[in-house]
Amino acid sequence: MARIRRSDIDEIRARTNIEDIVGEYVTLKSAGVGSKKGLCPFHDERTPSFHVRPQLGFYHCFGCGESGDVFTFLQKMDHVTFVEAVERLAGALGYQLTYEDGGEAPDHSKRVRLLQATAEAEQFFQGQLATAAAQPGRDFLGSRGFDPAAASRFGIGYAPQSWDALTKHLRGRGFSLQEMQDAGLVSTNERGSSYDRFRGRLVWPIRDTSGQTVGFGARRLRDDDKGPKYLNTPETEIYHKSRVLYGLDLAKKDIGRNHEVVVVEGYTDVMAAHLAGVTTAVATCGTSFGVEHIKVLRRIMDDESHRGRVIFNFDPDEAGRKAAMRAFAEENRFVAQTFVAVAPDGYDPCDLRLHRGDQAVRSMVEHPQPMYEFVIREQLRAHNLRTAEGRVAALREAAPIIVGIRDRALRPEYERQLAGWLGMDLEQVKYAVASAERQLRQAAEYPPEEAGAPNYAIPTVRMRDLPDDPVTRLERDSLTAVLQYPKMLSDAQLNNVLDANFSDASLAIVRDAIVTTQGDLGTPQWLPRVHEEVPSSFVPLVNDLSMAPMPAGPGPEQVAAYVRSVTAALVERDLLHRKAELLGELRRTDIETDPLRHRELSERLVDVERRKRDMRESLEQ
């Protein structure tokens, strides 16, 4: 493949606001001047350590060490190549790329082509919903309380009862059969013949957090359709069911704003909830709620104060109870509090809206049952509480659940409730909970030994590895200021900083890299150049320094004042050290025997004093 011209890459990087791109995946909040933070999308964490510096065009996680620019972010989040990431951003900007080496410029990357094919299929399905053949689909929607406006709002369409209607349509739009297959729109039978995957079904578009359609969910409408009730797009390069939640593109803003998400079980449930005013509802797509879904939601909720709520809605049948227990198994991955909402009379949200109205749906969500209470009661249901043996067995199963409650202030209340539900003495319940806690603690303290090969990797250098003394802190803070706001210093001030003696060897290496890249100072390609100059094990340190929050006020004036003052303190310390060295040497130099050396030292002392005076005057301006 031809290479994209480097100047085009730099231009795309300069024109793209990394905050906008990262914000499609992570809820970002202010973290001080020029910095945003959120929960890291690359590792599981409870407290945000993922920082974005829009003015630098870089992100960095102080937890796992992941860092990079907007291209790196898209590569890792969407599993695309570097060229595909550049092409995608260029397309969004309407920027015409130039390719080097005389190669032919590709019109689209594979991922972009698959997304285009899926978008074209979505428009085709939506157009088919108005045809006479789609009457069963319109009847189904009407029976569930959804009018044409609701169908349009959620992009619902109809796949005609034909083996190749979509295939012919996409061929006419220039898509190859291989592209249709790769997008999960066309299947192949054992004889090698291809056919439309969705036929005679109502179709819901499934979109990612950025609003791009990546797949479909299709509901059976005819009795002679022997396929599953719901048929989804298979795993493709753009569709991964374990990381996709239906309705998240519509709900993400309110989820981030309200710190609440409602997880329901189906497409029509999401529609009913949103139409009833519960605009934080989402659903999984043909799979159970899992760890990857949790990671996606936590990044959007970004709630570190334990105010958030995750409300699960399950059908009140055996399958629903199993789904609830699977969700509870991952409950400790949430910072937010978890709840279960079950509608009366066994209704799902769609039926509840249809029979009881919008207010009933809102009321169900507004009055959920705490997840711990729900799970404990489910455990008790499995035992015969009329017998002593049944009550003791139930207590043994319920005690570890109470131990797992993160908010320790809630435990005594659950102990009292459990004693009441079991009809047992409170002290007996407390003893069982304490015993379960001891067992769990012992298991955590003495885990089984894990065999593994020794790690011979070269250790990386991070900011947390630096000594915590005043001298090193001043050097660290000065380089942080230079890396983040180099243009706030005059050329003379910057040169004074870079000429200073650095006692910490690691910081001296970063300083040297800045010196060698001064020609690109402050440009979009500057930090990448610094990365190239330092040894690879020092790149994490550069990332830490360039993304670290600074103790400055909210305005640019306060930032500029801080940058000048902290770097001036470093320079003044260095000048003081040089003055002491010059005075010592001057005392040891005899003016009679070596007048030239004595004069040279005296002149250098005068220069040091002049530089100190100039520096202080610049701070007063």
Side-chain angles (χ1 to χ4, degrees), residues 469-491:
D469 60 85
V471 172
T472 306
R473 286 201 301 270
L474 181 58
E475 295 174 359
R476 177 201 66 193
D477 294 345
S478 296
L479 285 185
T480 296
V482 169
L483 285 168
Q484 295 184 24
Y485 297 99
K487 292 301 186 180
M488 287 188 174
L489 296 172
S490 67
D491 290 344

mmCIF file of all heavy atoms in Angstrom, residues 469-491:
data_model
loop_
_atom_site.group_PDB
_atom_site.id
_atom_site.type_symbol
_atom_site.label_atom_id
_atom_site.label_comp_id
_atom_site.label_asym_id
_atom_site.label_seq_id
_atom_site.Cartn_x
_atom_site.Cartn_y
_atom_site.Cartn_z
ATOM 1 N N ASP A 469 12.450 14.225 46.406
ATOM 2 C CA ASP A 469 13.150 15.246 47.185
ATOM 3 C C ASP A 469 12.936 16.591 46.505
ATOM 4 O O ASP A 469 12.577 16.648 45.320
ATOM 5 C CB ASP A 469 14.643 14.924 47.276
ATOM 6 C CG ASP A 469 15.292 14.875 45.913
ATOM 7 O OD1 ASP A 469 15.688 15.940 45.403
ATOM 8 O OD2 ASP A 469 15.376 13.769 45.331
ATOM 9 N N PRO A 470 13.159 17.716 47.220
ATOM 10 C CA PRO A 470 12.868 19.043 46.644
ATOM 11 C C PRO A 470 13.620 19.332 45.354
ATOM 12 O O PRO A 470 13.078 19.951 44.442
ATOM 13 C CB PRO A 470 13.279 20.004 47.769
ATOM 14 C CG PRO A 470 13.160 19.194 49.022
ATOM 15 C CD PRO A 470 13.545 17.808 48.645
ATOM 16 N N VAL A 471 14.869 18.900 45.269
ATOM 17 C CA VAL A 471 15.664 19.188 44.081
ATOM 18 C C VAL A 471 15.074 18.487 42.853
ATOM 19 O O VAL A 471 14.873 19.097 41.795
ATOM 20 C CB VAL A 471 17.131 18.762 44.295
ATOM 21 C CG1 VAL A 471 17.920 18.884 42.994
ATOM 22 C CG2 VAL A 471 17.773 19.597 45.394
ATOM 23 N N THR A 472 14.778 17.185 42.986
ATOM 24 C CA THR A 472 14.222 16.434 41.862
ATOM 25 C C THR A 472 12.831 16.936 41.502
ATOM 26 O O THR A 472 12.469 17.006 40.327
ATOM 27 C CB THR A 472 14.182 14.929 42.193
ATOM 28 O OG1 THR A 472 15.478 14.497 42.600
ATOM 29 C CG2 THR A 472 13.737 14.127 40.991
ATOM 30 N N ARG A 473 12.029 17.276 42.520
ATOM 31 C CA ARG A 473 10.677 17.773 42.237
ATOM 32 C C ARG A 473 10.729 19.051 41.410
ATOM 33 O O ARG A 473 9.918 19.249 40.496
ATOM 34 C CB ARG A 473 9.913 18.001 43.537
ATOM 35 C CG ARG A 473 9.460 16.719 44.214
ATOM 36 C CD ARG A 473 8.313 16.989 45.182
ATOM 37 N NE ARG A 473 8.687 17.941 46.226
ATOM 38 C CZ ARG A 473 9.211 17.580 47.399
ATOM 39 N NH1 ARG A 473 9.447 16.295 47.651
ATOM 40 N NH2 ARG A 473 9.509 18.482 48.314
ATOM 41 N N LEU A 474 11.675 19.944 41.725
ATOM 42 C CA LEU A 474 11.794 21.187 40.964
ATOM 43 C C LEU A 474 12.194 20.897 39.520
ATOM 44 O O LEU A 474 11.647 21.504 38.577
ATOM 45 C CB LEU A 474 12.824 22.106 41.629
ATOM 46 C CG LEU A 474 13.054 23.465 40.953
ATOM 47 C CD1 LEU A 474 11.752 24.250 40.867
ATOM 48 C CD2 LEU A 474 14.122 24.255 41.708
ATOM 49 N N GLU A 475 13.123 19.986 39.321
ATOM 50 C CA GLU A 475 13.529 19.613 37.970
ATOM 51 C C GLU A 475 12.363 18.971 37.219
ATOM 52 O O GLU A 475 12.113 19.268 36.041
ATOM 53 C CB GLU A 475 14.714 18.649 38.029
ATOM 54 C CG GLU A 475 15.970 19.283 38.618
ATOM 55 C CD GLU A 475 17.096 18.277 38.805
ATOM 56 O OE1 GLU A 475 16.876 17.075 38.497
ATOM 57 O OE2 GLU A 475 18.192 18.662 39.256
ATOM 58 N N ARG A 476 11.634 18.091 37.900
ATOM 59 C CA ARG A 476 10.475 17.426 37.286
ATOM 60 C C ARG A 476 9.413 18.442 36.882
ATOM 61 O O ARG A 476 8.897 18.414 35.759
ATOM 62 C CB ARG A 476 9.890 16.424 38.282
ATOM 63 C CG ARG A 476 8.633 15.704 37.832
ATOM 64 C CD ARG A 476 7.883 15.156 39.029
ATOM 65 N NE ARG A 476 7.362 16.237 39.875
ATOM 66 C CZ ARG A 476 6.893 16.045 41.119
ATOM 67 N NH1 ARG A 476 6.936 14.849 41.661
ATOM 68 N NH2 ARG A 476 6.412 17.071 41.792
ATOM 69 N N ASP A 477 9.078 19.353 37.795
ATOM 70 C CA ASP A 477 8.020 20.331 37.514
ATOM 71 C C ASP A 477 8.431 21.288 36.401
ATOM 72 O O ASP A 477 7.590 21.730 35.606
ATOM 73 C CB ASP A 477 7.675 21.115 38.781
ATOM 74 C CG ASP A 477 7.046 20.232 39.856
ATOM 75 O OD1 ASP A 477 6.619 19.111 39.515
ATOM 76 O OD2 ASP A 477 6.993 20.661 41.025
ATOM 77 N N SER A 478 9.700 21.612 36.322
ATOM 78 C CA SER A 478 10.170 22.512 35.261
ATOM 79 C C SER A 478 10.051 21.843 33.897
ATOM 80 O O SER A 478 9.591 22.468 32.923
ATOM 81 C CB SER A 478 11.624 22.925 35.521
ATOM 82 O OG SER A 478 11.727 23.673 36.721
ATOM 83 N N LEU A 479 10.449 20.584 33.792
ATOM 84 C CA LEU A 479 10.324 19.888 32.514
ATOM 85 C C LEU A 479 8.854 19.672 32.154
ATOM 86 O O LEU A 479 8.483 19.708 30.977
ATOM 87 C CB LEU A 479 11.065 18.548 32.563
ATOM 88 C CG LEU A 479 12.591 18.620 32.492
ATOM 89 C CD1 LEU A 479 13.182 17.219 32.422
ATOM 90 C CD2 LEU A 479 13.036 19.434 31.294
ATOM 91 N N THR A 480 8.013 19.443 33.156
ATOM 92 C CA THR A 480 6.574 19.326 32.900
ATOM 93 C C THR A 480 6.048 20.608 32.268
ATOM 94 O O THR A 480 5.289 20.583 31.292
ATOM 95 C CB THR A 480 5.820 19.040 34.217
ATOM 96 O OG1 THR A 480 6.238 17.776 34.736
ATOM 97 C CG2 THR A 480 4.317 19.021 33.994
ATOM 98 N N ALA A 481 6.455 21.747 32.814
ATOM 99 C CA ALA A 481 6.021 23.040 32.276
ATOM 100 C C ALA A 481 6.543 23.245 30.855
ATOM 101 O O ALA A 481 5.811 23.719 29.976
ATOM 102 C CB ALA A 481 6.494 24.157 33.193
ATOM 103 N N VAL A 482 7.786 22.887 30.615
ATOM 104 C CA VAL A 482 8.368 23.076 29.287
ATOM 105 C C VAL A 482 7.681 22.187 28.259
ATOM 106 O O VAL A 482 7.368 22.633 27.138
ATOM 107 C CB VAL A 482 9.882 22.798 29.322
ATOM 108 C CG1 VAL A 482 10.460 22.727 27.913
ATOM 109 C CG2 VAL A 482 10.598 23.871 30.129
ATOM 110 N N LEU A 483 7.440 20.940 28.601
ATOM 111 C CA LEU A 483 6.813 20.008 27.661
ATOM 112 C C LEU A 483 5.383 20.408 27.333
ATOM 113 O O LEU A 483 4.910 20.197 26.211
ATOM 114 C CB LEU A 483 6.841 18.589 28.232
ATOM 115 C CG LEU A 483 8.195 17.876 28.188
ATOM 116 C CD1 LEU A 483 8.167 16.618 29.038
ATOM 117 C CD2 LEU A 483 8.556 17.536 26.747
ATOM 118 N N GLN A 484 4.679 20.969 28.292
ATOM 119 C CA GLN A 484 3.270 21.279 28.070
ATOM 120 C C GLN A 484 3.040 22.681 27.529
ATOM 121 O O GLN A 484 2.116 22.905 26.740
ATOM 122 C CB GLN A 484 2.494 21.081 29.377
ATOM 123 C CG GLN A 484 2.474 19.633 29.847
ATOM 124 C CD GLN A 484 1.633 19.431 31.078
ATOM 125 O OE1 GLN A 484 0.719 20.210 31.358
ATOM 126 N NE2 GLN A 484 1.892 18.369 31.828
ATOM 127 N N TYR A 485 3.853 23.644 27.953
ATOM 128 C CA TYR A 485 3.647 25.037 27.535
ATOM 129 C C TYR A 485 4.973 25.685 27.115
ATOM 130 O O TYR A 485 5.395 26.690 27.689
ATOM 131 C CB TYR A 485 3.001 25.835 28.662
ATOM 132 C CG TYR A 485 1.629 25.342 29.040
ATOM 133 C CD1 TYR A 485 1.449 24.517 30.144
ATOM 134 C CD2 TYR A 485 0.511 25.697 28.282
ATOM 135 C CE1 TYR A 485 0.189 24.051 30.484
ATOM 136 C CE2 TYR A 485 -0.755 25.240 28.622
ATOM 137 C CZ TYR A 485 -0.911 24.414 29.717
ATOM 138 O OH TYR A 485 -2.157 23.963 30.044
ATOM 139 N N PRO A 486 5.638 25.160 26.104
ATOM 140 C CA PRO A 486 6.950 25.705 25.725
ATOM 141 C C PRO A 486 6.872 27.129 25.197
ATOM 142 O O PRO A 486 7.829 27.895 25.340
ATOM 143 C CB PRO A 486 7.424 24.733 24.643
ATOM 144 C CG PRO A 486 6.163 24.154 24.073
ATOM 145 C CD PRO A 486 5.232 24.042 25.241
ATOM 146 N N LYS A 487 5.758 27.503 24.584
ATOM 147 C CA LYS A 487 5.638 28.827 23.989
ATOM 148 C C LYS A 487 5.365 29.919 25.015
ATOM 149 O O LYS A 487 5.318 31.104 24.668
ATOM 150 C CB LYS A 487 4.529 28.826 22.930
ATOM 151 C CG LYS A 487 4.857 27.988 21.702
ATOM 152 C CD LYS A 487 6.125 28.475 21.019
ATOM 153 C CE LYS A 487 6.397 27.745 19.724
ATOM 154 N NZ LYS A 487 7.628 28.215 19.062
ATOM 155 N N MET A 488 5.154 29.543 26.276
ATOM 156 C CA MET A 488 4.951 30.548 27.316
ATOM 157 C C MET A 488 6.271 31.092 27.860
ATOM 158 O O MET A 488 6.275 31.954 28.722
ATOM 159 C CB MET A 488 4.112 29.974 28.457
ATOM 160 C CG MET A 488 2.644 29.815 28.089
ATOM 161 S SD MET A 488 1.634 29.362 29.494
ATOM 162 C CE MET A 488 -0.008 29.445 28.763
ATOM 163 N N LEU A 489 7.381 30.556 27.353
ATOM 164 C CA LEU A 489 8.709 31.035 27.741
ATOM 165 C C LEU A 489 9.371 31.696 26.541
ATOM 166 O O LEU A 489 9.226 31.231 25.399
ATOM 167 C CB LEU A 489 9.580 29.872 28.230
ATOM 168 C CG LEU A 489 9.126 29.139 29.492
ATOM 169 C CD1 LEU A 489 9.998 27.908 29.720
ATOM 170 C CD2 LEU A 489 9.159 30.053 30.703
ATOM 171 N N SER A 490 10.083 32.770 26.792
ATOM 172 C CA SER A 490 10.857 33.381 25.719
ATOM 173 C C SER A 490 12.022 32.461 25.358
ATOM 174 O O SER A 490 12.350 31.516 26.105
ATOM 175 C CB SER A 490 11.390 34.744 26.160
ATOM 176 O OG SER A 490 12.351 34.577 27.201
ATOM 177 N N ASP A 491 12.638 32.722 24.216
ATOM 178 C CA ASP A 491 13.779 31.890 23.802
ATOM 179 C C ASP A 491 14.879 31.925 24.858
ATOM 180 O O ASP A 491 15.498 30.889 25.171
ATOM 181 C CB ASP A 491 14.326 32.390 22.464
ATOM 182 C CG ASP A 491 13.363 32.104 21.320
ATOM 183 O OD1 ASP A 491 12.458 31.273 21.504
ATOM 184 O OD2 ASP A 491 13.512 32.725 20.251
#
